Amino acid sequence: MLLSAASGAADAFVFICVGQVFAGVMTWNLVLLGASAAGAGEEGVALRVVTALVSYGCGVAGASLVGERMWRRVPLMLLAEVVLLAAGAGLWAARLVASDTDRLGLLVLMGLAMGIQGRVRATPTNYFTGTLTSLVGRLAVGAWRSDDGWTAGRLAALVAGAALAALTVRLWPEGGAVVAVAPAAAALLVEAAAGPGRAAAGPGKGKPRPDRGNPAGAA
């Protein structure tokens, strides 16, 4: 739930402050890419979308390599995410992001962080269409599961993180990116406190979640 909140905050901040793209929702970025190819959308959005896609992909690739080769990999990946988010928040708070090129650099940091987060655990924390599809489908047929409350909680955390980030941008523009850092750092502390036994399970391993493997896919 903490990582879901971080995802919502990061995407809201990037959408509002960097330029009508997302750091972690690649499905929507692909839609924007297609629209921009047809001449729709803001000027320069195609470059921002490609930057987000490449950055996210690099984050996923790097986290995948770490997940295969390193001990205590989950805390390490979360630490990398927190460092990237904090770097972006620091640059934004210091008003060092002034030009379009600077914004692309900030987008790279946020995209890398979200790509890493996407590989931290098998349970989705930054893409939720499949999660929502599975949850509503089970509700429709009366097949509610005991842990669906946590699934709904992640969706609520996503919305709350986005709302808090948007509110922060309105009231304290320089602190807009900080909202994403706090829950990610809290998730790192929770993971570190869980000890090596839990971390050994690694990303993508352990008990399957009910929102995985659904026909709609995870994204």
Side-chain angles (χ1 to χ4, degrees):
M1 290 177 68
L2 288 167
L3 289 177
S4 298
S7 176
D11 274 322
F13 166 74
V14 168
F15 187 83
I16 296 169
C17 298
V18 177
Q20 307 297 300
V21 296
F22 294 94
V25 185
M26 294 301 109
T27 303
W28 182 244
N29 281 342
L30 289 170
V31 172
L32 288 173
L33 184 62
S36 64
E42 291 185 352
E43 182 180 355
V45 70
L47 178 59
R48 293 194 295 273
V49 167
V50 170
T51 300
L53 288 168
V54 173
S55 301
Y56 185 89
C58 289
V60 170
S64 298
L65 291 173
V66 170
E68 291 294 328
R69 299 179 181 181
M70 300 195 70
W71 180 72
R72 293 282 286 167
R73 46 194 174 267
V74 172
L76 181 62
M77 286 190 284
L78 285 175
L79 177 61
E81 177 185 353
V82 171
V83 169
L84 289 166
L85 291 176
L91 290 172
W92 185 259
R95 300 184 179 182
L96 297 176
V97 182
S99 66
D100 290 340
T101 301
D102 294 338
R103 283 182 167 79
L104 287 177
L106 178 59
L107 181 58
V108 168
L109 294 176
M110 306 298 282
L112 284 170
M114 290 298 100
I116 292 170
Q117 181 175 309
R119 289 292 298 170
V120 167
R121 287 291 181 191
T123 302
T125 58
N126 59 359
Y127 40 91
F128 290 95
T129 303
T131 300
L132 181 62
T133 300
S134 297
L135 181 63
V136 173
R138 289 194 295 273
L139 286 174
V141 299
W144 179 269
R145 298 181 181 180
S146 58
D147 54 0
D148 274 343
W150 290 104
T151 302
R154 284 188 287 118
L155 294 171
L158 179 78
V159 175
L164 184 56
L167 183 62
T168 302
V169 168
R170 177 179 297 179
L171 300 178
W172 179 36
E174 294 81 6
V178 175
V179 180
V181 180
L188 172 60
L189 292 175
V190 170
E191 188 66 41
R198 180 180 172 185
K205 300 179 182 180
K207 183 179 178 181
R209 299 289 300 173
D211 50 5
R212 296 181 65 211
N214 59 79

